[in-house]
Amino acid sequence: MSLKKYEEKRNFRKTSEPKGKTQKVKADLIFVVQKHDATNLHYDFRLELDGILKSWAVPKGPSLNPNEKRLAVMVEDHPFDYKDFEGVIPKGNYGAGEVVVWDNGTYHSIETDDRAKSIPLLKNGLEKGDLKITLHGKKLKGSFALVNMKKPKQNAWLLIKKKDEYATDKDILLNDKSVLSGKGIDEIESPVKKKS
Ligand code: MN
């Protein structure tokens, strides 16, 4: 799968984001949600598939409430290594702003927790625009659907919590710290030392 779009948008001498490469991993499939304080604050929802991260930008963030359907705009595939990216994308670069790893964990098809059996089901779901998954994150747990709206734009999807024991009307976004560093998005600093 191509990371061309990802690479075209970035100058890797100017941003510390990972360079594009695919990765073969045999362990459980992973997902990550990055809170990204760019021009507009949003949450990037990413699912590992074929060594890359299928990616959606969720303006209002994910919800555990089955009644709250969240718009998820499909964006370019990201490299697998992006899963651990937390830091600052410098001003003037694509997506400039702070990023924290808001949640991460493993996932699989709603139908099976077997990795090998999951993969064709997930690919089929992506193709059909109806992806049903189960997340094992620190914050996001249980089953979700990602449904392509087809209209008005091909890249508009809805992220919907399914009814299960993890469904709740509590606002999961209030739990706002990074699952990697424990930092809030306001505590993230650029790895490049600023001249004073
Ligand atoms: Mn983003």
Side-chain angles (χ1 to χ4, degrees):
M1 209 159 287
S2 173
L3 290 169
K4 213 168 156 249
K5 256 195 192 165
Y6 173 86
E7 288 167 347
E8 281 169 2
K9 287 181 172 178
R10 291 166 177 82
N11 179 345
F12 294 103
R13 282 173 299 164
K14 293 190 175 162
T15 176
S16 58
E17 294 166 285
K19 275 188 194 151
K21 65 173 191 224
T22 59
Q23 196 145 317
K24 289 255 183 293
V25 184
K26 291 264 167 68
D28 286 340
L29 296 166
I30 63 95
F31 82 94
V32 60
V33 182
Q34 280 148 323
K35 186 175 179 181
H36 184 185
D37 196 4
T39 312
N40 296 301
L41 180 78
H42 61 274
Y43 293 74
D44 290 301
F45 185 84
R46 310 190 197 279
L47 301 174
E48 177 197 355
L49 200 59
D50 279 336
I52 51 92
L53 301 174
K54 301 304 296 183
S55 297
W56 290 260
V58 184
K60 290 188 175 173
S63 173
L64 291 177
N65 184 341
N67 297 319
E68 291 178 347
K69 297 176 179 168
R70 294 289 163 87
L71 176 67
V73 180
M74 192 180 244
V75 296
E76 74 274 18
D77 296 343
H78 277 52
F80 181 77
D81 286 347
Y82 210 91
K83 68 186 176 58
D84 298 317
F85 179 73
E86 182 164 291
V88 180
I89 302 170
K91 266 188 193 158
N93 291 273
Y94 179 74
E98 294 78 16
V99 176
V100 294
V101 176
W102 179 79
D103 195 20
N104 63 15
T106 61
Y107 88 103
H108 50 77
S109 162
I110 200 169
E111 291 176 53
T112 172
D113 60 7
D114 183 271
R115 176 192 166 99
K117 288 177 187 159
S118 262
I119 291 171
L121 293 168
L122 295 167
K123 285 185 181 173
N124 190 255
L126 261 181
E127 200 129 302
K128 281 196 323 197
D130 186 7
L131 190 57
K132 292 191 172 70
I133 54 175
T134 302
L135 303 180
H136 302 281
K138 281 117 195 160
K139 299 174 185 173
L140 299 180
K141 295 176 196 285
S143 297
F144 290 78
L146 262 164
V147 183
N148 193 314
M149 295 167 76
K150 316 260 185 203
K151 289 180 219 166
K153 277 188 182 169
Q154 202 66 38
N155 60 356
W157 298 59
L158 291 174
L159 177 63
I160 310 160
K161 179 78 191 81
K162 291 197 159 268
K163 286 177 187 157
D164 60 21
E165 71 263 43
Y166 299 109
T168 173
D169 54 12
K170 273 190 212 149
D171 185 0
I172 189 73
L173 300 179
L174 295 175
N175 189 351
D176 63 347
K177 303 285 195 247
S178 163
V179 294
L180 290 187
S181 64
K183 288 179 180 172
I185 202 146
D186 298 337
E187 300 166 85
I188 292 294
E189 280 170 37
S190 173
V192 183
K193 274 189 187 154
K194 290 180 198 120
K195 284 174 193 158
S196 51

